[in-house]
Amino acid sequence: MLIYLAASRRPAPPHGATTPDCDIQRGPCIQSLAGGTASLDISPRPVRAMTDLAFRLTIDPPPASGEAFGDSPFIDLDMPDMFMGYNRITMTRELPGVYSGAGVIVRCPSGIPTWKARVTVPGLGEAVFVFDVLY
């Protein structure tokens, strides 16, 4: 029975299997999004797990005046190499092309600090940001 259980488990990915492409501790990060860019900022800094955080998304160029996405943008937080449950940040429009939301990045029991924010902007697509948080 022990052999079956050991064989049925997926091996844990090694730490550093996914390298951060965003230094969120220094400031906003930018990724391509449908002919423009999406900029993600998280505060306060340093960005820590298990802390109330403010998320700010800026889309450049902003949507044309009167253009509607339908649904608001949202951010799904997860680890790149390990599913950590559902953690969605709903964004609210502040200005044309500027959205804000609040949430918490949970602490991973493994101690791996690398997290992923998948930003979805209905009508424009997705941008993925991979960054480290502090525990």
Side-chain angles (χ1 to χ4, degrees):
M1 185 69 153
L2 290 176
I3 294 172
Y4 171 76
L5 289 175
S8 67
R9 290 185 183 189
R10 289 187 333 183
H15 175 58
T18 300
T19 306
D21 60 6
C22 165
D23 189 354
I24 201 69
Q25 302 298 350
R26 290 185 176 259
C29 296
I30 299 173
Q31 294 287 345
S32 296
L33 179 69
T37 60
S39 173
L40 177 66
D41 197 10
I42 305 173
S43 60
R45 285 192 189 76
V47 177
R48 295 185 179 275
M50 304 308 294
T51 302
D52 290 329
L53 299 169
F55 293 78
R56 186 174 181 92
L57 172 65
T58 304
I59 300 167
D60 188 34
S65 178
E67 183 178 340
F69 291 128
D71 294 328
S72 294
F74 58 88
I75 301 171
D76 287 316
L77 298 170
D78 201 359
M79 294 186 81
D81 300 315
M82 181 184 324
F83 179 66
M84 292 295 292
Y86 296 100
N87 188 353
R88 178 167 286 180
I89 309 297
T90 302
M91 306 300 284
T92 302
R93 183 179 181 266
E94 290 181 1
L95 299 167
V98 180
Y99 302 85
S100 64
V104 174
I105 297 172
V106 298
R107 187 182 196 305
C108 177
S110 72
I112 297 171
T114 306
W115 281 81
K116 171 179 69 178
R118 180 179 306 277
V119 174
T120 302
V121 182
L124 291 180
E126 293 182 342
V128 177
F129 301 85
V130 179
F131 54 91
D132 284 341
V133 299
L134 299 179
Y135 288 142

